[in-house]
Amino acid sequence: MRSGTIAFLAGILCLQLFSELPAPGWIALLGVSIPVALWLPLPWRLAGWALSGFLWCLCSAHQILGITLPEELAGRDLIIEGHVAGLPETQGRRTRFLFDVTHLVINEEKQPWPARVRLNWYGRSRPALQAGEAWQLQVRLKQPWGFRNPGGFDYERWLFAQRIRATGYVRYENRLLEQDSIPWRYRLDRARQRLSEQLQHQLSGEAGGLFRALTVGDRRGIDPSTWEVLRVTGTAHLLAISGMHIGLLAALVFWLVRRLWPLAGERVLLWLPAPRAAALLATLAALLYAAMAGFSIPTQRALLMLGVVMLALWRLRPLQPGRTLAWAALVVLLLEPLAVLAAGFWLSFAAVALILYALGGHRQLSRLSQWLRIQGWITLGLAPLLIGWFQQVSLVAPLANLLAIPLVSLLAVSYTHLRA
């Protein structure tokens, strides 16, 4: 399984080396590569996994590029209809938000155009946008592109990985459309937005912004100076809801249910033993937390790994950590092969792999020795990735994380869930 996942990932990375995508007709070879990956002997099986990864990513890339803003519409006033997606970001006189377009209105005729665009809405009288709202907007759009500064942030690649097919800004003639109910795909974002607003009323200031980031993955309340402190100290990862936060919550729920479930009586225990009940409820709690965080890549990875662990506990089977990590990586790549374009994918899985390596064969060490060993391996192992992606690495990160991780784990996350 581990070798198959690595081969699948290698196939996806191979496609990134192409300056032009192969023709869509090659995708039909998936009908051959998948049986090869599943049933033939090992050398052919790995080749099948690699070819499947290459073709699966090719399919996703063609799907994205198939939705393109016509050149004749760029830079001119357009009328579009659709829904607000995600959590709108308000700063000063600007609101930045994602908008899922359903139709272009050209000469009073609606034409389907199922694209996601990134818009800015300027002005003092702009409305307070809510996730899932249906709008008809007058906008000016342009192709998704960015500056190609060596070593700088690749904005165009980020837009492509986020499946954003145009950027632009809102003009003047806009109206909120009536709708019977919010579409299902936006109800989670609406719930996250409302919870974030409730927390903002209860906890104001910078502390409130940090708690909202840890609860619903809403980082809009964190000012640039705080981000700079987190970046310099190497603790910015604490605000990415991932394995540490989900693991803590799942462990807390598992422990409570494991202790309290026997109180339900013998009949309930015969129907559902305490270990299985604890595994089930811990998984549901982790799923709820991941949904509140918006199912980001680190959250997906942590949730998938936890699901495999809890499934093993449910079936009373032994568990191999490396196999669990491989399954999580494979499912993430199947859901979104372009996750390889994001730094979070590499940092997330590399960190878990380093933790497993640091603990392998050293279970007899004390908790403090294990903790110091983990911090050392993560610092050394992630340094090349941090330098490659961000051109910097924090020298004080090991010491800062020794203090910050227990504090955030035991205080911030627990307190946030009690308030939520």
Side-chain angles (χ1 to χ4, degrees), residues 161-248:
Q162 299 297 316
R163 299 175 180 262
I164 297 173
R165 302 309 300 137
T167 60
Y169 59 93
V170 179
R171 298 282 283 170
Y172 307 111
E173 300 178 5
N174 313 294
R175 64 187 181 93
L176 181 64
L177 301 178
E178 295 183 0
Q179 53 182 351
D180 296 332
S181 61
I182 302 174
W184 280 100
R185 60 184 298 190
Y186 303 110
R187 293 190 178 185
L188 176 59
D189 287 334
R190 176 65 69 89
R192 293 176 61 218
Q193 187 174 9
R194 288 181 175 176
L195 179 57
S196 178
E197 292 172 353
Q198 292 176 3
L199 289 175
Q200 186 176 8
H201 291 311
Q202 297 177 9
L203 295 170
S204 59
E206 190 64 20
L210 293 173
F211 280 122
R212 294 200 303 276
L214 290 169
T215 305
V216 295
D218 182 6
R219 307 180 190 180
R220 297 174 296 175
I222 304 175
D223 58 39
S225 61
T226 302
W227 277 119
E228 182 66 16
V229 173
L230 294 172
R231 182 188 63 80
V232 171
T233 57
T235 54
H237 66 92
L238 294 176
L239 297 186
I241 299 177
S242 57
M244 181 186 72
H245 310 84
I246 291 179
L248 173 68

Coordinates of all heavy atoms in Angstrom, one line a residue, residues 161-248:
A161 N -4.8 25.9 -8.2 CA -5.0 24.8 -7.2 C -6.3 25.0 -6.5 O -6.9 24.0 -6.1 CB -3.8 24.8 -6.2
Q162 N -6.7 26.3 -6.3 CA -8.0 26.6 -5.7 C -9.2 26.5 -6.7 O -10.3 26.8 -6.3 CB -8.0 28.0 -5.0 CG -6.9 28.1 -4.0 CD -7.1 27.2 -2.8 OE1 -8.3 27.0 -2.3 NE2 -6.1 26.5 -2.3
R163 N -8.9 26.2 -7.9 CA -9.9 26.1 -9.0 C -10.6 27.4 -9.2 O -11.8 27.5 -9.6 CB -10.9 25.0 -8.7 CG -10.3 23.6 -8.6 CD -11.3 22.6 -8.2 NE -10.6 21.2 -8.1 CZ -10.7 20.3 -9.1 NH1 -11.3 20.6 -10.2 NH2 -10.0 19.2 -8.9
I164 N -9.9 28.5 -9.1 CA -10.4 29.9 -9.3 C -10.1 30.2 -10.8 O -8.9 30.3 -11.2 CB -9.8 30.9 -8.4 CG1 -10.2 30.5 -6.9 CG2 -10.3 32.3 -8.7 CD1 -9.6 31.4 -5.9
R165 N -11.1 30.5 -11.6 CA -10.9 30.7 -13.0 C -10.9 32.1 -13.5 O -10.8 32.4 -14.7 CB -12.0 29.9 -13.8 CG -12.1 28.5 -13.5 CD -10.7 27.8 -13.6 NE -10.2 27.9 -15.0 CZ -8.9 28.3 -15.2 NH1 -8.0 28.5 -14.3 NH2 -8.5 28.3 -16.5
A166 N -11.1 33.1 -12.6 CA -11.1 34.5 -12.9 C -11.0 35.3 -11.6 O -11.4 34.9 -10.6 CB -12.2 35.0 -13.8
T167 N -10.5 36.5 -11.7 CA -10.4 37.5 -10.6 C -11.0 38.8 -11.1 O -11.0 39.1 -12.3 CB -9.0 37.7 -10.0 OG1 -8.2 38.2 -11.1 CG2 -8.4 36.4 -9.6
G168 N -11.5 39.6 -10.2 CA -12.0 40.9 -10.6 C -12.6 41.7 -9.4 O -12.3 41.4 -8.2
Y169 N -13.5 42.6 -9.7 CA -14.1 43.4 -8.7 C -15.5 43.8 -9.1 O -15.9 43.7 -10.3 CB -13.3 44.7 -8.4 CG -13.1 45.6 -9.6 CD1 -14.0 46.7 -9.9 CD2 -12.1 45.4 -10.5 CE1 -13.9 47.5 -11.0 CE2 -11.9 46.2 -11.6 CZ -12.8 47.3 -11.9 OH -12.7 48.1 -13.0
V170 N -16.3 44.1 -8.1 CA -17.8 44.4 -8.2 C -17.9 45.8 -8.6 O -17.3 46.7 -8.1 CB -18.5 44.0 -6.9 CG1 -20.0 44.3 -7.1 CG2 -18.3 42.6 -6.6
R171 N -18.9 46.1 -9.5 CA -19.2 47.4 -10.0 C -20.4 48.0 -9.3 O -20.4 47.9 -8.0 CB -19.4 47.4 -11.5 CG -18.2 47.0 -12.3 CD -17.1 48.1 -12.4 NE -17.6 49.0 -13.4 CZ -17.0 50.2 -13.6 NH1 -16.0 50.6 -12.9 NH2 -17.5 51.0 -14.6
Y172 N -21.4 48.4 -10.0 CA -22.5 49.2 -9.3 C -23.8 48.6 -9.3 O -24.5 48.6 -8.3 CB -22.6 50.6 -10.0 CG -21.3 51.3 -10.1 CD1 -20.6 51.5 -11.3 CD2 -20.6 51.8 -9.0 CE1 -19.4 52.1 -11.4 CE2 -19.4 52.5 -9.1 CZ -18.8 52.6 -10.3 OH -17.6 53.2 -10.4
E173 N -24.3 48.0 -10.4 CA -25.6 47.5 -10.5 C -25.7 46.0 -10.0 O -25.4 45.1 -10.7 CB -26.1 47.5 -11.9 CG -26.1 48.9 -12.5 CD -26.5 49.0 -14.0 OE1 -26.9 47.9 -14.5 OE2 -26.5 50.0 -14.6
N174 N -26.1 45.9 -8.7 CA -26.1 44.6 -8.0 C -27.4 44.4 -7.3 O -27.9 45.4 -6.7 CB -24.9 44.5 -7.1 CG -23.6 44.9 -7.7 OD1 -23.1 44.3 -8.7 ND2 -23.0 46.0 -7.2
R175 N -27.8 43.2 -7.2 CA -29.0 43.0 -6.4 C -29.0 41.5 -5.8 O -28.5 40.6 -6.4 CB -30.3 43.2 -7.2 CG -30.5 42.2 -8.4 CD -31.7 42.6 -9.2 NE -31.9 41.8 -10.4 CZ -32.7 40.7 -10.3 NH1 -33.4 40.4 -9.2 NH2 -32.9 39.9 -11.4
L176 N -29.6 41.5 -4.6 CA -29.7 40.2 -3.9 C -30.9 39.4 -4.5 O -32.0 39.9 -4.6 CB -29.8 40.4 -2.4 CG -30.0 39.2 -1.5 CD1 -28.7 38.3 -1.6 CD2 -30.3 39.6 -0.1
L177 N -30.6 38.2 -4.9 CA -31.7 37.4 -5.5 C -32.5 36.6 -4.5 O -31.9 36.2 -3.5 CB -31.1 36.4 -6.6 CG -30.3 37.0 -7.7 CD1 -29.8 35.9 -8.6 CD2 -31.2 37.9 -8.5
E178 N -33.7 36.5 -4.7 CA -34.6 35.7 -3.8 C -34.3 34.2 -4.0 O -34.2 33.7 -5.1 CB -36.1 36.0 -4.0 CG -36.4 37.4 -3.6 CD -37.9 37.7 -3.8 OE1 -38.6 36.7 -4.2 OE2 -38.4 38.8 -3.5
Q179 N -34.3 33.4 -2.9 CA -34.1 32.0 -3.0 C -34.9 31.3 -1.9 O -35.0 31.9 -0.8 CB -32.7 31.6 -3.0 CG -31.9 32.1 -1.8 CD -30.4 31.7 -1.9 OE1 -30.0 30.9 -2.7 NE2 -29.6 32.3 -1.0
D180 N -35.5 30.2 -2.2 CA -36.3 29.5 -1.2 C -35.5 29.0 0.0 O -35.9 29.1 1.2 CB -37.1 28.4 -1.8 CG -38.1 28.8 -2.9 OD1 -38.6 30.0 -2.8 OD2 -38.3 28.1 -3.8
S181 N -34.3 28.5 -0.3 CA -33.4 28.0 0.8 C -32.0 28.0 0.3 O -31.7 28.2 -0.9 CB -33.8 26.6 1.2 OG -33.7 25.7 0.0
I182 N -31.1 28.0 1.2 CA -29.7 27.9 0.9 C -29.3 26.6 0.3 O -29.7 25.5 0.9 CB -28.8 28.3 2.1 CG1 -29.2 29.6 2.7 CG2 -27.3 28.2 1.8 CD1 -28.5 29.9 4.0
P183 N -28.6 26.5 -0.8 CA -28.2 25.2 -1.3 C -27.4 24.4 -0.3 O -26.6 25.0 0.5 CB -27.4 25.5 -2.5 CG -27.9 26.9 -3.0 CD -28.2 27.6 -1.7
W184 N -27.5 23.1 -0.3 CA -26.8 22.3 0.7 C -25.3 22.5 0.8 O -24.7 22.5 1.8 CB -27.1 20.8 0.4 CG -28.4 20.4 0.9 CD1 -29.6 20.2 0.2 CD2 -28.8 20.1 2.3 NE1 -30.6 19.8 1.0 CE2 -30.2 19.7 2.3 CE3 -28.1 20.0 3.5 CZ2 -30.8 19.4 3.4 CZ3 -28.8 19.7 4.6 CH2 -30.1 19.3 4.6
R185 N -24.7 22.8 -0.4 CA -23.2 22.9 -0.4 C -22.7 24.1 0.3 O -21.5 24.2 0.6 CB -22.7 22.9 -1.9 CG -23.3 24.1 -2.7 CD -22.9 24.0 -4.1 NE -21.4 24.1 -4.3 CZ -20.9 24.3 -5.5 NH1 -21.6 24.3 -6.6 NH2 -19.6 24.4 -5.5
Y186 N -23.6 25.1 0.6 CA -23.2 26.3 1.3 C -23.6 26.4 2.7 O -23.3 27.3 3.4 CB -23.7 27.5 0.5 CG -23.3 27.6 -0.9 CD1 -24.2 27.4 -1.9 CD2 -22.0 27.8 -1.3 CE1 -23.9 27.4 -3.3 CE2 -21.6 27.8 -2.6 CZ -22.6 27.7 -3.6 OH -22.2 27.7 -4.9
R187 N -24.4 25.4 3.2 CA -24.9 25.5 4.5 C -23.8 25.3 5.6 O -23.9 25.9 6.7 CB -26.0 24.4 4.7 CG -27.2 24.7 3.9 CD -28.4 23.7 4.3 NE -29.6 24.1 3.4 CZ -30.7 23.5 3.6 NH1 -30.9 22.6 4.6 NH2 -31.8 23.8 2.8
L188 N -22.8 24.5 5.3 CA -21.7 24.4 6.2 C -21.0 25.7 6.4 O -20.6 26.1 7.5 CB -20.7 23.3 5.7 CG -19.5 23.1 6.6 CD1 -19.8 22.8 8.0 CD2 -18.6 22.0 6.0
D189 N -20.7 26.4 5.3 CA -20.0 27.7 5.4 C -20.9 28.7 6.1 O -20.4 29.6 6.9 CB -19.7 28.2 4.0 CG -18.6 27.5 3.3 OD1 -17.7 27.0 4.0 OD2 -18.5 27.4 2.0
R190 N -22.2 28.7 5.9 CA -23.1 29.6 6.6 C -23.0 29.3 8.1 O -23.0 30.3 9.0 CB -24.5 29.5 6.1 CG -25.5 30.3 6.9 CD -25.3 31.8 6.7 NE -25.6 32.2 5.3 CZ -26.8 32.6 4.9 NH1 -27.8 32.6 5.7 NH2 -26.9 33.0 3.6
A191 N -23.0 28.0 8.5 CA -22.9 27.7 9.9 C -21.6 28.2 10.5 O -21.6 28.7 11.6 CB -23.1 26.2 10.1
R192 N -20.5 28.0 9.8 CA -19.2 28.4 10.2 C -19.2 29.9 10.4 O -18.6 30.5 11.4 CB -18.1 28.0 9.3 CG -17.9 26.5 9.2 CD -16.9 26.2 8.1 NE -15.6 26.8 8.4 CZ -14.8 27.4 7.6 NH1 -15.1 27.4 6.3 NH2 -13.6 27.9 7.9
Q193 N -19.8 30.7 9.5 CA -19.8 32.1 9.6 C -20.6 32.6 10.8 O -20.2 33.5 11.5 CB -20.4 32.7 8.3 CG -20.3 34.2 8.2 CD -20.7 34.7 6.8 OE1 -21.3 34.0 6.0 NE2 -20.5 36.0 6.6
R194 N -21.7 32.0 11.0 CA -22.5 32.4 12.2 C -21.8 32.1 13.5 O -21.9 32.9 14.4 CB -23.9 31.7 12.1 CG -24.8 32.2 11.0 CD -26.1 31.5 11.0 NE -27.1 32.1 10.0 CZ -28.3 31.6 9.8 NH1 -28.7 30.6 10.4 NH2 -29.0 32.2 8.9
L195 N -21.2 30.9 13.6 CA -20.5 30.6 14.8 C -19.3 31.5 15.0 O -19.0 32.0 16.1 CB -20.0 29.1 14.7 CG -19.1 28.6 15.9 CD1 -19.9 28.7 17.2 CD2 -18.7 27.2 15.7
S196 N -18.6 31.9 13.9 CA -17.5 32.8 14.0 C -18.0 34.2 14.5 O -17.3 34.8 15.3 CB -16.8 33.0 12.7 OG -15.8 33.9 12.7
E197 N -19.2 34.6 14.0 CA -19.7 35.9 14.5 C -20.1 35.9 15.9 O -19.9 36.9 16.7 CB -20.9 36.3 13.6 CG -20.5 36.6 12.1 CD -21.7 36.8 11.3 OE1 -22.9 36.5 11.7 OE2 -21.6 37.2 10.1
Q198 N -20.7 34.8 16.4 CA -21.0 34.6 17.8 C -19.8 34.7 18.7 O -19.7 35.3 19.7 CB -21.7 33.3 18.0 CG -23.1 33.3 17.4 CD -23.8 31.9 17.5 OE1 -23.3 31.0 18.2 NE2 -25.0 31.8 17.0
L199 N -18.7 34.0 18.3 CA -17.5 34.0 19.0 C -16.9 35.4 19.0 O -16.3 35.9 20.0 CB -16.4 33.0 18.4 CG -16.8 31.6 18.7 CD1 -15.7 30.7 17.9 CD2 -16.7 31.2 20.1
Q200 N -17.0 36.2 17.9 CA -16.5 37.5 17.9 C -17.2 38.4 18.9 O -16.6 39.3 19.5 CB -16.7 38.1 16.4 CG -16.0 39.4 16.2 CD -16.1 39.9 14.8 OE1 -16.8 39.3 14.0 NE2 -15.4 41.0 14.5
H201 N -18.5 38.2 19.1 CA -19.2 39.0 20.0 C -18.8 38.7 21.5 O -18.8 39.5 22.3 CB -20.7 38.8 19.9 CG -21.3 39.4 18.6 ND1 -21.0 40.7 18.2 CD2 -22.1 38.9 17.6 CE1 -21.6 40.9 17.1 NE2 -22.3 39.8 16.7
Q202 N -18.5 37.4 21.7 CA -18.1 37.0 23.0 C -16.7 37.3 23.4 O -16.4 37.6 24.5 CB -18.4 35.5 23.2 CG -19.9 35.1 23.0 CD -20.1 33.6 23.1 OE1 -19.1 32.8 23.4 NE2 -21.3 33.1 22.8
L203 N -15.8 37.1 22.4 CA -14.4 37.3 22.6 C -13.9 38.3 21.6 O -13.7 37.9 20.4 CB -13.6 36.0 22.5 CG -13.9 35.0 23.6 CD1 -13.3 33.6 23.2 CD2 -13.4 35.4 24.9
S204 N -13.7 39.5 21.9 CA -13.2 40.6 21.0 C -11.7 40.7 21.1 O -11.0 40.1 21.9 CB -13.9 41.9 21.3 OG -13.5 42.3 22.6
G205 N -11.1 41.4 20.2 CA -9.7 41.7 20.1 C -8.9 40.6 19.5 O -9.4 39.7 18.9
E206 N -7.6 40.6 19.8 CA -6.7 39.6 19.2 C -6.9 38.2 19.7 O -6.8 37.3 19.0 CB -5.2 40.1 19.5 CG -4.2 39.3 18.7 CD -4.3 39.4 17.2 OE1 -4.9 40.4 16.8 OE2 -3.8 38.6 16.5
A207 N -7.3 38.1 21.0 CA -7.6 36.8 21.6 C -8.8 36.2 20.9 O -8.7 35.0 20.6 CB -7.8 37.0 23.1
G208 N -9.8 37.0 20.6 CA -10.9 36.5 19.9 C -10.6 36.0 18.6 O -11.1 34.9 18.1
G209 N -9.7 36.7 17.9 CA -9.3 36.3 16.5 C -8.5 34.9 16.6 O -8.7 34.1 15.7
L210 N -7.7 34.7 17.6 CA -7.0 33.5 17.7 C -7.9 32.3 18.0 O -7.8 31.2 17.5 CB -5.9 33.6 18.8 CG -4.8 34.5 18.6 CD1 -3.9 34.7 19.8 CD2 -3.9 34.0 17.4
F211 N -8.9 32.6 18.9 CA -9.9 31.5 19.2 C -10.8 31.1 18.0 O -11.1 30.0 17.8 CB -10.8 31.9 20.4 CG -10.1 31.8 21.7 CD1 -9.9 32.9 22.6 CD2 -9.6 30.5 22.1 CE1 -9.3 32.7 23.8 CE2 -9.0 30.4 23.4 CZ -8.8 31.5 24.2
R212 N -11.1 32.1 17.2 CA -11.9 31.8 16.0 C -11.1 31.0 15.0 O -11.6 30.1 14.3 CB -12.4 33.1 15.4 CG -13.4 33.9 16.2 CD -14.2 34.9 15.4 NE -13.4 35.8 14.6 CZ -12.9 36.9 15.1 NH1 -13.2 37.2 16.4 NH2 -12.2 37.8 14.4
A213 N -9.8 31.3 14.9 CA -8.9 30.5 14.1 C -8.9 29.1 14.5 O -8.8 28.2 13.7 CB -7.6 31.2 14.0
L214 N -8.8 28.9 15.8 CA -8.7 27.5 16.3 C -10.0 26.8 16.3 O -10.1 25.5 16.3 CB -8.2 27.5 17.8 CG -6.7 27.9 17.9 CD1 -6.4 28.2 19.4 CD2 -5.8 26.9 17.4
T215 N -11.2 27.5 16.3 CA -12.5 26.8 16.4 C -13.0 26.5 15.0 O -13.4 25.4 14.7 CB -13.5 27.7 17.1 OG1 -12.9 28.1 18.4 CG2 -14.8 27.0 17.3
V216 N -13.1 27.5 14.1 CA -13.7 27.4 12.8 C -12.8 27.6 11.7 O -13.2 27.7 10.5 CB -15.0 28.3 12.7 CG1 -16.0 27.9 13.7 CG2 -14.6 29.7 12.9
G217 N -11.5 27.7 11.9 CA -10.5 28.0 10.9 C -10.7 29.4 10.3 O -10.2 29.6 9.1
D218 N -11.3 30.3 11.0 CA -11.5 31.7 10.5 C -10.3 32.6 11.0 O -10.3 32.9 12.2 CB -12.8 32.2 11.0 CG -13.1 33.6 10.5 OD1 -12.3 34.1 9.6 OD2 -14.1 34.2 10.9
R219 N -9.4 32.9 10.1 CA -8.2 33.6 10.5 C -8.3 35.1 10.2 O -7.3 35.9 10.2 CB -7.0 33.1 9.8 CG -6.8 31.6 10.0 CD -5.6 31.1 9.3 NE -5.5 29.6 9.2 CZ -4.6 28.9 8.7 NH1 -3.6 29.5 8.1 NH2 -4.6 27.6 8.7
R220 N -9.5 35.6 9.9 CA -9.7 37.0 9.5 C -9.4 38.0 10.6 O -9.2 39.1 10.4 CB -11.1 37.2 9.0 CG -11.4 36.4 7.7 CD -12.9 36.5 7.3 NE -13.8 36.0 8.3 CZ -15.1 36.1 8.3 NH1 -15.7 36.7 7.3 NH2 -15.9 35.5 9.2
G221 N -9.5 37.5 11.9 CA -9.4 38.4 13.0 C -7.9 38.5 13.5 O -7.7 39.2 14.5
I222 N -7.0 37.9 12.8 CA -5.6 38.0 13.2 C -4.9 39.1 12.4 O -4.8 39.0 11.2 CB -4.9 36.6 13.0 CG1 -5.6 35.5 13.7 CG2 -3.4 36.7 13.5 CD1 -5.1 34.1 13.5
D223 N -4.3 40.0 13.1 CA -3.7 41.2 12.4 C -2.3 40.8 11.9 O -1.7 39.8 12.4 CB -3.6 42.4 13.3 CG -2.8 42.2 14.6 OD1 -1.8 41.5 14.6 OD2 -3.3 42.7 15.6
P224 N -1.7 41.6 11.0 CA -0.4 41.2 10.4 C 0.8 41.1 11.4 O 1.7 40.3 11.3 CB -0.1 42.4 9.4 CG -1.5 42.9 9.1 CD -2.3 42.7 10.3
S225 N 0.7 41.9 12.5 CA 1.8 41.9 13.5 C 1.8 40.5 14.2 O 2.9 40.0 14.5 CB 1.6 43.0 14.5 OG 0.4 42.9 15.2
T226 N 0.6 40.0 14.5 CA 0.6 38.7 15.1 C 1.1 37.6 14.2 O 1.8 36.7 14.6 CB -0.9 38.4 15.6 OG1 -1.3 39.4 16.5 CG2 -0.9 37.0 16.3
W227 N 0.7 37.7 12.9 CA 1.2 36.7 11.9 C 2.7 36.8 11.8 O 3.4 35.7 11.7 CB 0.6 37.0 10.5 CG -0.7 36.4 10.3 CD1 -1.9 37.1 10.0 CD2 -1.1 35.0 10.3 NE1 -2.9 36.2 9.9 CE2 -2.5 34.9 10.1 CE3 -0.4 33.9 10.5 CZ2 -3.1 33.7 10.0 CZ3 -1.0 32.6 10.5 CH2 -2.4 32.6 10.2
E228 N 3.3 38.0 11.9 CA 4.7 38.1 11.9 C 5.4 37.4 13.1 O 6.4 36.7 12.9 CB 5.1 39.6 11.9 CG 6.6 39.8 11.8 CD 7.2 39.4 10.4 OE1 6.4 39.1 9.5 OE2 8.4 39.3 10.4
V229 N 4.8 37.5 14.3 CA 5.3 36.9 15.4 C 5.3 35.3 15.3 O 6.2 34.6 15.6 CB 4.6 37.3 16.7 CG1 5.0 36.5 17.9 CG2 4.8 38.8 17.0
L230 N 4.1 34.8 14.8 CA 4.0 33.4 14.6 C 5.0 32.9 13.5 O 5.5 31.8 13.6 CB 2.5 33.1 14.1 CG 1.4 33.4 15.2 CD1 0.1 33.2 14.5 CD2 1.6 32.4 16.4
R231 N 5.2 33.7 12.5 CA 6.1 33.3 11.4 C 7.5 33.2 11.9 O 8.3 32.3 11.7 CB 6.0 34.3 10.2 CG 6.9 33.9 9.1 CD 6.9 35.0 8.0 NE 7.5 36.2 8.6 CZ 8.8 36.4 8.6 NH1 9.6 35.5 8.2 NH2 9.2 37.6 9.1
V232 N 8.0 34.2 12.7 CA 9.4 34.3 13.1 C 9.6 33.2 14.1 O 10.7 32.6 14.2 CB 9.6 35.7 13.8 CG1 11.0 35.7 14.5 CG2 9.6 36.8 12.7
T233 N 8.6 32.9 15.0 CA 8.8 31.8 16.0 C 8.5 30.4 15.5 O 8.7 29.5 16.2 CB 8.0 32.1 17.2 OG1 6.6 32.2 16.8 CG2 8.4 33.4 17.9
G234 N 8.1 30.3 14.2 CA 7.8 29.0 13.7 C 6.6 28.3 14.3 O 6.5 27.1 14.4
T235 N 5.6 29.1 14.8 CA 4.4 28.5 15.5 C 3.2 28.8 14.7 O 2.1 28.6 15.2 CB 4.3 29.1 16.9 OG1 4.3 30.5 16.8 CG2 5.4 28.6 17.8
A236 N 3.3 29.3 13.4 CA 2.1 29.5 12.7 C 1.3 28.3 12.4 O 0.0 28.4 12.2 CB 2.5 30.2 11.3
H237 N 1.9 27.1 12.4 CA 1.2 25.9 12.2 C 0.2 25.6 13.3 O -0.8 24.8 13.1 CB 2.2 24.7 12.1 CG 2.9 24.4 13.4 ND1 2.4 23.5 14.4 CD2 4.0 25.0 14.0 CE1 3.2 23.5 15.4 NE2 4.2 24.4 15.2
L238 N 0.3 26.2 14.4 CA -0.7 26.0 15.5 C -2.1 26.5 15.2 O -3.1 26.0 15.7 CB -0.2 26.7 16.8 CG 1.1 26.1 17.4 CD1 1.5 27.0 18.6 CD2 0.9 24.7 17.8
L239 N -2.2 27.4 14.2 CA -3.5 28.0 13.8 C -4.1 27.2 12.6 O -5.1 27.5 12.2 CB -3.3 29.5 13.5 CG -2.9 30.4 14.6 CD1 -3.0 31.8 14.2 CD2 -3.8 30.1 15.9
A240 N -3.3 26.2 12.1 CA -3.9 25.3 11.1 C -4.5 24.1 11.8 O -3.8 23.3 12.4 CB -2.8 24.9 10.1
I241 N -5.8 24.0 11.8 CA -6.5 23.0 12.5 C -6.1 21.6 11.8 O -6.5 21.4 10.7 CB -8.0 23.1 12.4 CG1 -8.4 24.4 13.1 CG2 -8.7 22.0 13.1 CD1 -9.8 24.8 13.1
S242 N -5.3 20.8 12.5 CA -4.8 19.6 11.9 C -4.8 18.5 12.9 O -5.6 18.4 13.8 CB -3.3 19.9 11.4 OG -2.5 20.4 12.4
G243 N -3.7 17.7 12.9 CA -3.7 16.5 13.7 C -3.7 16.7 15.2 O -4.3 16.0 15.9
M244 N -2.9 17.8 15.6 CA -2.8 18.1 17.0 C -4.2 18.4 17.6 O -4.6 17.9 18.6 CB -1.9 19.2 17.2 CG -1.7 19.6 18.7 SD -0.7 21.1 18.9 CE -1.8 22.3 18.4
H245 N -5.0 19.3 16.9 CA -6.2 19.7 17.5 C -7.3 18.6 17.4 O -8.0 18.3 18.3 CB -6.7 20.9 16.7 CG -5.7 22.0 16.6 ND1 -4.7 22.0 15.6 CD2 -5.4 23.1 17.3 CE1 -3.9 23.1 15.7 NE2 -4.4 23.8 16.7
I246 N -7.4 18.0 16.2 CA -8.4 16.9 16.0 C -8.0 15.7 16.9 O -8.9 15.1 17.5 CB -8.4 16.5 14.6 CG1 -9.1 17.6 13.7 CG2 -9.2 15.2 14.4 CD1 -9.2 17.3 12.3
G247 N -6.7 15.4 17.0 CA -6.3 14.3 17.9 C -6.7 14.5 19.3 O -7.1 13.6 20.1
L248 N -6.4 15.8 19.8 CA -6.8 16.1 21.2 C -8.2 16.0 21.5 O -8.6 15.4 22.5 CB -6.3 17.6 21.5 CG -6.7 18.1 22.8 CD1 -6.0 17.4 23.9 CD2 -6.5 19.6 22.9

